[in-house]
Amino acid sequence: HRDLHSFPTRRSSDLVVFTIILQGFLDTVLSFNDINPPLTSAIILLTVIVGTTVIVYRVSAIIGDQLLSTERALAESEEKFRSTMENSADAVFITNQKGKYLYSNKAATDMLGYSAAEIEGKTFLDISPPNKTEEYFNIFNHILTKGKKVLTEIDLLKKDGNFITTELSAVLLPDATVYGSCRDITAREKAELTLKESEEQLIRLNADKDMFISILGHDLKSPFSTLLGLSGTLLEDFNKLNNDEIEDYLNHINKAARNTYNLLENLLNWTSAQSGKIPFNPQIISFNNICKNTIAVLFPGADAKSITINYY
């Protein structure tokens, strides 16, 4: 660049020196200036014109080659840039300082469902959720005023009316336009939400399991205590008891065994319900029967302590 601009000046200086030498030669050697001054001036003028023409032609050729090379390099650079943008997997947008889209690549049109012409006629607020326009305007204004790269998540409105969540990277370019690239992370967000819900459900299930096992252990203790107590008494006093007393003990033992079996069956039903192996089948139940069954379980232990249990 520096050599190209110094070339005409250098050649002009050479031409001046050549002209002075030519004039001295004509004056001293040929003495044309004394014989025919107009002819001498004409020769010098012609020489200057020819030299200048040659220099101008040469300089023009060099400048033309340089310009052609620069234009070719610029065209190749622009083509490479456009090819890179168009083949980018991320959606690329360029907006002016008012937020109006000046350029959008193929990934952007595919992501939003708009054509390039439709997008370039909009601003970023036109495809933003109404409840987030102020937030996004502040982000855009931050990019313009601070000139720093911004990485954030924004929601965009597709042509079909659905919103998608995108991860945005935006920066202010030297020409005062804003370059932004974003990718659709809606599926990732849904997967993370599903994972979070599954984790919360697992925590609830573990808490339910711990509570159920605690209740089950407590509830199983009572019928087993009854079974052990009644069977122990029956063994110790078997020869002292009459048939009616023995039958009464056996009835209590049988009830305790049935209640224990029911508790274990409830445990299996609960396990099946948590794994989704049994259908939900709501039924009308009687609290009267539930209370009677519960008192039957508690009766042996209460009777041994002379405790009476009633229900109303």
Side-chain angles (χ1 to χ4, degrees), residues 154-181:
I154 62 172
D155 294 334
L156 297 178
L157 176 64
K158 298 175 61 177
K159 188 175 182 179
D160 61 11
N162 294 319
F163 285 99
I164 58 173
T165 302
T166 65
E167 188 176 64
L168 171 68
S169 175
V171 67
L172 184 66
L173 297 178
D175 63 354
T177 59
V178 177
Y179 169 90
S181 65

PDB file of all heavy atoms in Angstrom, residues 154-181:
ATOM      1  N   ILE A 154     -33.252 -16.902  25.871  1.00  0.00           N
ATOM      2  CA  ILE A 154     -34.442 -16.124  25.511  1.00  0.00           C
ATOM      3  C   ILE A 154     -35.448 -17.042  24.826  1.00  0.00           C
ATOM      4  O   ILE A 154     -35.076 -18.075  24.257  1.00  0.00           O
ATOM      5  CB  ILE A 154     -34.109 -14.943  24.576  1.00  0.00           C
ATOM      6  CG1 ILE A 154     -33.530 -15.454  23.248  1.00  0.00           C
ATOM      7  CG2 ILE A 154     -33.156 -13.969  25.247  1.00  0.00           C
ATOM      8  CD1 ILE A 154     -33.372 -14.369  22.215  1.00  0.00           C
ATOM      9  N   ASP A 155     -36.718 -16.657  24.908  1.00  0.00           N
ATOM     10  CA  ASP A 155     -37.794 -17.372  24.213  1.00  0.00           C
ATOM     11  C   ASP A 155     -38.124 -16.634  22.924  1.00  0.00           C
ATOM     12  O   ASP A 155     -38.199 -15.400  22.912  1.00  0.00           O
ATOM     13  CB  ASP A 155     -39.041 -17.474  25.100  1.00  0.00           C
ATOM     14  CG  ASP A 155     -38.810 -18.345  26.320  1.00  0.00           C
ATOM     15  OD1 ASP A 155     -37.931 -19.221  26.241  1.00  0.00           O
ATOM     16  OD2 ASP A 155     -39.495 -18.143  27.334  1.00  0.00           O
ATOM     17  N   LEU A 156     -38.338 -17.387  21.847  1.00  0.00           N
ATOM     18  CA  LEU A 156     -38.688 -16.799  20.559  1.00  0.00           C
ATOM     19  C   LEU A 156     -40.000 -17.387  20.053  1.00  0.00           C
ATOM     20  O   LEU A 156     -40.309 -18.556  20.307  1.00  0.00           O
ATOM     21  CB  LEU A 156     -37.575 -17.053  19.533  1.00  0.00           C
ATOM     22  CG  LEU A 156     -36.207 -16.427  19.833  1.00  0.00           C
ATOM     23  CD1 LEU A 156     -35.215 -16.819  18.753  1.00  0.00           C
ATOM     24  CD2 LEU A 156     -36.318 -14.911  19.951  1.00  0.00           C
ATOM     25  N   LEU A 157     -40.756 -16.552  19.345  1.00  0.00           N
ATOM     26  CA  LEU A 157     -42.053 -16.963  18.801  1.00  0.00           C
ATOM     27  C   LEU A 157     -41.876 -17.480  17.378  1.00  0.00           C
ATOM     28  O   LEU A 157     -41.385 -16.762  16.502  1.00  0.00           O
ATOM     29  CB  LEU A 157     -43.029 -15.786  18.818  1.00  0.00           C
ATOM     30  CG  LEU A 157     -44.407 -16.029  18.194  1.00  0.00           C
ATOM     31  CD1 LEU A 157     -45.163 -17.094  18.983  1.00  0.00           C
ATOM     32  CD2 LEU A 157     -45.208 -14.725  18.141  1.00  0.00           C
ATOM     33  N   LYS A 158     -42.280 -18.720  17.135  1.00  0.00           N
ATOM     34  CA  LYS A 158     -42.229 -19.290  15.792  1.00  0.00           C
ATOM     35  C   LYS A 158     -43.440 -18.825  14.983  1.00  0.00           C
ATOM     36  O   LYS A 158     -44.419 -18.308  15.538  1.00  0.00           O
ATOM     37  CB  LYS A 158     -42.187 -20.818  15.866  1.00  0.00           C
ATOM     38  CG  LYS A 158     -40.973 -21.372  16.581  1.00  0.00           C
ATOM     39  CD  LYS A 158     -41.045 -22.876  16.723  1.00  0.00           C
ATOM     40  CE  LYS A 158     -41.107 -23.577  15.363  1.00  0.00           C
ATOM     41  NZ  LYS A 158     -41.106 -25.044  15.489  1.00  0.00           N
ATOM     42  N   LYS A 159     -43.383 -19.049  13.704  1.00  0.00           N
ATOM     43  CA  LYS A 159     -44.478 -18.633  12.822  1.00  0.00           C
ATOM     44  C   LYS A 159     -45.755 -19.396  13.136  1.00  0.00           C
ATOM     45  O   LYS A 159     -46.860 -18.871  12.956  1.00  0.00           O
ATOM     46  CB  LYS A 159     -44.081 -18.850  11.360  1.00  0.00           C
ATOM     47  CG  LYS A 159     -45.079 -18.259  10.375  1.00  0.00           C
ATOM     48  CD  LYS A 159     -44.584 -18.400   8.946  1.00  0.00           C
ATOM     49  CE  LYS A 159     -45.569 -17.770   7.957  1.00  0.00           C
ATOM     50  NZ  LYS A 159     -45.092 -17.872   6.562  1.00  0.00           N
ATOM     51  N   ASP A 160     -45.624 -20.656  13.628  1.00  0.00           N
ATOM     52  CA  ASP A 160     -46.813 -21.454  13.940  1.00  0.00           C
ATOM     53  C   ASP A 160     -47.443 -21.085  15.277  1.00  0.00           C
ATOM     54  O   ASP A 160     -48.420 -21.696  15.709  1.00  0.00           O
ATOM     55  CB  ASP A 160     -46.476 -22.950  13.918  1.00  0.00           C
ATOM     56  CG  ASP A 160     -45.406 -23.329  14.942  1.00  0.00           C
ATOM     57  OD1 ASP A 160     -45.069 -22.493  15.797  1.00  0.00           O
ATOM     58  OD2 ASP A 160     -44.898 -24.471  14.878  1.00  0.00           O
ATOM     59  N   GLY A 161     -46.872 -20.067  15.968  1.00  0.00           N
ATOM     60  CA  GLY A 161     -47.452 -19.606  17.225  1.00  0.00           C
ATOM     61  C   GLY A 161     -46.860 -20.231  18.467  1.00  0.00           C
ATOM     62  O   GLY A 161     -47.215 -19.830  19.581  1.00  0.00           O
ATOM     63  N   ASN A 162     -45.974 -21.204  18.308  1.00  0.00           N
ATOM     64  CA  ASN A 162     -45.340 -21.851  19.457  1.00  0.00           C
ATOM     65  C   ASN A 162     -44.071 -21.104  19.856  1.00  0.00           C
ATOM     66  O   ASN A 162     -43.383 -20.533  19.008  1.00  0.00           O
ATOM     67  CB  ASN A 162     -45.007 -23.308  19.134  1.00  0.00           C
ATOM     68  CG  ASN A 162     -46.257 -24.148  18.925  1.00  0.00           C
ATOM     69  OD1 ASN A 162     -47.234 -24.001  19.648  1.00  0.00           O
ATOM     70  ND2 ASN A 162     -46.226 -25.024  17.936  1.00  0.00           N
ATOM     71  N   PHE A 163     -43.767 -21.136  21.135  1.00  0.00           N
ATOM     72  CA  PHE A 163     -42.548 -20.519  21.650  1.00  0.00           C
ATOM     73  C   PHE A 163     -41.474 -21.581  21.853  1.00  0.00           C
ATOM     74  O   PHE A 163     -41.779 -22.714  22.233  1.00  0.00           O
ATOM     75  CB  PHE A 163     -42.809 -19.800  22.983  1.00  0.00           C
ATOM     76  CG  PHE A 163     -43.537 -18.501  22.836  1.00  0.00           C
ATOM     77  CD1 PHE A 163     -44.913 -18.427  23.053  1.00  0.00           C
ATOM     78  CD2 PHE A 163     -42.871 -17.340  22.466  1.00  0.00           C
ATOM     79  CE1 PHE A 163     -45.595 -17.234  22.915  1.00  0.00           C
ATOM     80  CE2 PHE A 163     -43.542 -16.139  22.338  1.00  0.00           C
ATOM     81  CZ  PHE A 163     -44.910 -16.079  22.556  1.00  0.00           C
ATOM     82  N   ILE A 164     -40.242 -21.208  21.573  1.00  0.00           N
ATOM     83  CA  ILE A 164     -39.113 -22.098  21.819  1.00  0.00           C
ATOM     84  C   ILE A 164     -38.106 -21.366  22.697  1.00  0.00           C
ATOM     85  O   ILE A 164     -38.010 -20.140  22.662  1.00  0.00           O
ATOM     86  CB  ILE A 164     -38.433 -22.548  20.512  1.00  0.00           C
ATOM     87  CG1 ILE A 164     -37.947 -21.337  19.695  1.00  0.00           C
ATOM     88  CG2 ILE A 164     -39.343 -23.422  19.689  1.00  0.00           C
ATOM     89  CD1 ILE A 164     -37.121 -21.703  18.476  1.00  0.00           C
ATOM     90  N   THR A 165     -37.372 -22.128  23.491  1.00  0.00           N
ATOM     91  CA  THR A 165     -36.320 -21.559  24.337  1.00  0.00           C
ATOM     92  C   THR A 165     -34.987 -21.699  23.612  1.00  0.00           C
ATOM     93  O   THR A 165     -34.656 -22.778  23.114  1.00  0.00           O
ATOM     94  CB  THR A 165     -36.262 -22.287  25.684  1.00  0.00           C
ATOM     95  OG1 THR A 165     -37.531 -22.183  26.335  1.00  0.00           O
ATOM     96  CG2 THR A 165     -35.201 -21.661  26.585  1.00  0.00           C
ATOM     97  N   THR A 166     -34.242 -20.590  23.536  1.00  0.00           N
ATOM     98  CA  THR A 166     -32.963 -20.611  22.824  1.00  0.00           C
ATOM     99  C   THR A 166     -31.858 -20.078  23.726  1.00  0.00           C
ATOM    100  O   THR A 166     -32.111 -19.314  24.661  1.00  0.00           O
ATOM    101  CB  THR A 166     -33.010 -19.753  21.543  1.00  0.00           C
ATOM    102  OG1 THR A 166     -33.188 -18.367  21.912  1.00  0.00           O
ATOM    103  CG2 THR A 166     -34.150 -20.181  20.651  1.00  0.00           C
ATOM    104  N   GLU A 167     -30.648 -20.519  23.417  1.00  0.00           N
ATOM    105  CA  GLU A 167     -29.455 -20.010  24.092  1.00  0.00           C
ATOM    106  C   GLU A 167     -28.799 -18.995  23.163  1.00  0.00           C
ATOM    107  O   GLU A 167     -28.358 -19.345  22.080  1.00  0.00           O
ATOM    108  CB  GLU A 167     -28.509 -21.167  24.405  1.00  0.00           C
ATOM    109  CG  GLU A 167     -27.327 -20.783  25.269  1.00  0.00           C
ATOM    110  CD  GLU A 167     -26.483 -21.984  25.621  1.00  0.00           C
ATOM    111  OE1 GLU A 167     -25.903 -22.600  24.689  1.00  0.00           O
ATOM    112  OE2 GLU A 167     -26.418 -22.343  26.800  1.00  0.00           O
ATOM    113  N   LEU A 168     -28.754 -17.725  23.602  1.00  0.00           N
ATOM    114  CA  LEU A 168     -28.324 -16.622  22.745  1.00  0.00           C
ATOM    115  C   LEU A 168     -26.925 -16.147  23.114  1.00  0.00           C
ATOM    116  O   LEU A 168     -26.605 -15.979  24.292  1.00  0.00           O
ATOM    117  CB  LEU A 168     -29.295 -15.450  22.861  1.00  0.00           C
ATOM    118  CG  LEU A 168     -28.872 -14.134  22.192  1.00  0.00           C
ATOM    119  CD1 LEU A 168     -28.855 -14.274  20.674  1.00  0.00           C
ATOM    120  CD2 LEU A 168     -29.772 -12.987  22.623  1.00  0.00           C
ATOM    121  N   SER A 169     -26.108 -15.923  22.074  1.00  0.00           N
ATOM    122  CA  SER A 169     -24.804 -15.264  22.222  1.00  0.00           C
ATOM    123  C   SER A 169     -24.817 -14.064  21.286  1.00  0.00           C
ATOM    124  O   SER A 169     -24.981 -14.218  20.074  1.00  0.00           O
ATOM    125  CB  SER A 169     -23.667 -16.221  21.860  1.00  0.00           C
ATOM    126  OG  SER A 169     -22.420 -15.549  21.892  1.00  0.00           O
ATOM    127  N   ALA A 170     -24.654 -12.839  21.825  1.00  0.00           N
ATOM    128  CA  ALA A 170     -24.754 -11.626  21.015  1.00  0.00           C
ATOM    129  C   ALA A 170     -23.625 -10.664  21.351  1.00  0.00           C
ATOM    130  O   ALA A 170     -23.157 -10.606  22.498  1.00  0.00           O
ATOM    131  CB  ALA A 170     -26.105 -10.942  21.249  1.00  0.00           C
ATOM    132  N   VAL A 171     -23.198  -9.892  20.327  1.00  0.00           N
ATOM    133  CA  VAL A 171     -22.106  -8.939  20.513  1.00  0.00           C
ATOM    134  C   VAL A 171     -22.263  -7.788  19.527  1.00  0.00           C
ATOM    135  O   VAL A 171     -22.847  -7.957  18.450  1.00  0.00           O
ATOM    136  CB  VAL A 171     -20.739  -9.642  20.320  1.00  0.00           C
ATOM    137  CG1 VAL A 171     -20.558 -10.082  18.882  1.00  0.00           C
ATOM    138  CG2 VAL A 171     -19.588  -8.734  20.747  1.00  0.00           C
ATOM    139  N   LEU A 172     -21.765  -6.617  19.907  1.00  0.00           N
ATOM    140  CA  LEU A 172     -21.797  -5.442  19.036  1.00  0.00           C
ATOM    141  C   LEU A 172     -20.609  -5.481  18.078  1.00  0.00           C
ATOM    142  O   LEU A 172     -19.462  -5.596  18.508  1.00  0.00           O
ATOM    143  CB  LEU A 172     -21.751  -4.169  19.881  1.00  0.00           C
ATOM    144  CG  LEU A 172     -21.883  -2.845  19.129  1.00  0.00           C
ATOM    145  CD1 LEU A 172     -23.270  -2.708  18.513  1.00  0.00           C
ATOM    146  CD2 LEU A 172     -21.594  -1.673  20.068  1.00  0.00           C
ATOM    147  N   LEU A 173     -20.888  -5.364  16.763  1.00  0.00           N
ATOM    148  CA  LEU A 173     -19.838  -5.406  15.753  1.00  0.00           C
ATOM    149  C   LEU A 173     -19.252  -4.004  15.522  1.00  0.00           C
ATOM    150  O   LEU A 173     -19.864  -3.005  15.899  1.00  0.00           O
ATOM    151  CB  LEU A 173     -20.411  -5.957  14.438  1.00  0.00           C
ATOM    152  CG  LEU A 173     -20.928  -7.399  14.477  1.00  0.00           C
ATOM    153  CD1 LEU A 173     -21.505  -7.787  13.120  1.00  0.00           C
ATOM    154  CD2 LEU A 173     -19.840  -8.375  14.890  1.00  0.00           C
ATOM    155  N   PRO A 174     -18.057  -3.931  14.899  1.00  0.00           N
ATOM    156  CA  PRO A 174     -17.415  -2.626  14.660  1.00  0.00           C
ATOM    157  C   PRO A 174     -18.268  -1.667  13.841  1.00  0.00           C
ATOM    158  O   PRO A 174     -18.134  -0.447  13.983  1.00  0.00           O
ATOM    159  CB  PRO A 174     -16.129  -3.003  13.922  1.00  0.00           C
ATOM    160  CG  PRO A 174     -15.826  -4.393  14.363  1.00  0.00           C
ATOM    161  CD  PRO A 174     -17.163  -5.055  14.539  1.00  0.00           C
ATOM    162  N   ASP A 175     -19.131  -2.197  12.960  1.00  0.00           N
ATOM    163  CA  ASP A 175     -19.965  -1.312  12.143  1.00  0.00           C
ATOM    164  C   ASP A 175     -21.261  -0.914  12.850  1.00  0.00           C
ATOM    165  O   ASP A 175     -22.199  -0.423  12.221  1.00  0.00           O
ATOM    166  CB  ASP A 175     -20.275  -1.967  10.799  1.00  0.00           C
ATOM    167  CG  ASP A 175     -21.083  -3.256  10.942  1.00  0.00           C
ATOM    168  OD1 ASP A 175     -21.293  -3.694  12.102  1.00  0.00           O
ATOM    169  OD2 ASP A 175     -21.494  -3.822   9.917  1.00  0.00           O
ATOM    170  N   ALA A 176     -21.312  -1.156  14.181  1.00  0.00           N
ATOM    171  CA  ALA A 176     -22.449  -0.766  15.033  1.00  0.00           C
ATOM    172  C   ALA A 176     -23.677  -1.638  14.831  1.00  0.00           C
ATOM    173  O   ALA A 176     -24.756  -1.301  15.328  1.00  0.00           O
ATOM    174  CB  ALA A 176     -22.826   0.704  14.823  1.00  0.00           C
ATOM    175  N   THR A 177     -23.568  -2.727  14.092  1.00  0.00           N
ATOM    176  CA  THR A 177     -24.655  -3.697  14.023  1.00  0.00           C
ATOM    177  C   THR A 177     -24.461  -4.738  15.127  1.00  0.00           C
ATOM    178  O   THR A 177     -23.381  -4.868  15.694  1.00  0.00           O
ATOM    179  CB  THR A 177     -24.712  -4.403  12.655  1.00  0.00           C
ATOM    180  OG1 THR A 177     -23.464  -5.072  12.414  1.00  0.00           O
ATOM    181  CG2 THR A 177     -24.987  -3.398  11.543  1.00  0.00           C
ATOM    182  N   VAL A 178     -25.519  -5.476  15.417  1.00  0.00           N
ATOM    183  CA  VAL A 178     -25.469  -6.479  16.481  1.00  0.00           C
ATOM    184  C   VAL A 178     -25.526  -7.872  15.858  1.00  0.00           C
ATOM    185  O   VAL A 178     -26.453  -8.185  15.101  1.00  0.00           O
ATOM    186  CB  VAL A 178     -26.636  -6.298  17.470  1.00  0.00           C
ATOM    187  CG1 VAL A 178     -26.624  -7.401  18.531  1.00  0.00           C
ATOM    188  CG2 VAL A 178     -26.551  -4.932  18.133  1.00  0.00           C
ATOM    189  N   TYR A 179     -24.525  -8.673  16.179  1.00  0.00           N
ATOM    190  CA  TYR A 179     -24.457 -10.061  15.694  1.00  0.00           C
ATOM    191  C   TYR A 179     -24.935 -10.974  16.815  1.00  0.00           C
ATOM    192  O   TYR A 179     -24.492 -10.884  17.953  1.00  0.00           O
ATOM    193  CB  TYR A 179     -23.025 -10.419  15.312  1.00  0.00           C
ATOM    194  CG  TYR A 179     -22.794 -11.886  15.056  1.00  0.00           C
ATOM    195  CD1 TYR A 179     -22.952 -12.420  13.777  1.00  0.00           C
ATOM    196  CD2 TYR A 179     -22.422 -12.741  16.081  1.00  0.00           C
ATOM    197  CE1 TYR A 179     -22.734 -13.765  13.543  1.00  0.00           C
ATOM    198  CE2 TYR A 179     -22.205 -14.087  15.857  1.00  0.00           C
ATOM    199  CZ  TYR A 179     -22.357 -14.595  14.579  1.00  0.00           C
ATOM    200  OH  TYR A 179     -22.156 -15.943  14.356  1.00  0.00           O
ATOM    201  N   GLY A 180     -25.870 -11.861  16.476  1.00  0.00           N
ATOM    202  CA  GLY A 180     -26.376 -12.814  17.462  1.00  0.00           C
ATOM    203  C   GLY A 180     -26.493 -14.204  16.874  1.00  0.00           C
ATOM    204  O   GLY A 180     -26.887 -14.368  15.719  1.00  0.00           O
ATOM    205  N   SER A 181     -26.118 -15.201  17.653  1.00  0.00           N
ATOM    206  CA  SER A 181     -26.305 -16.601  17.252  1.00  0.00           C
ATOM    207  C   SER A 181     -27.009 -17.317  18.388  1.00  0.00           C
ATOM    208  O   SER A 181     -26.726 -17.066  19.563  1.00  0.00           O
ATOM    209  CB  SER A 181     -24.954 -17.275  16.957  1.00  0.00           C
ATOM    210  OG  SER A 181     -24.173 -17.364  18.131  1.00  0.00           O
TER     211      SER A 181
END
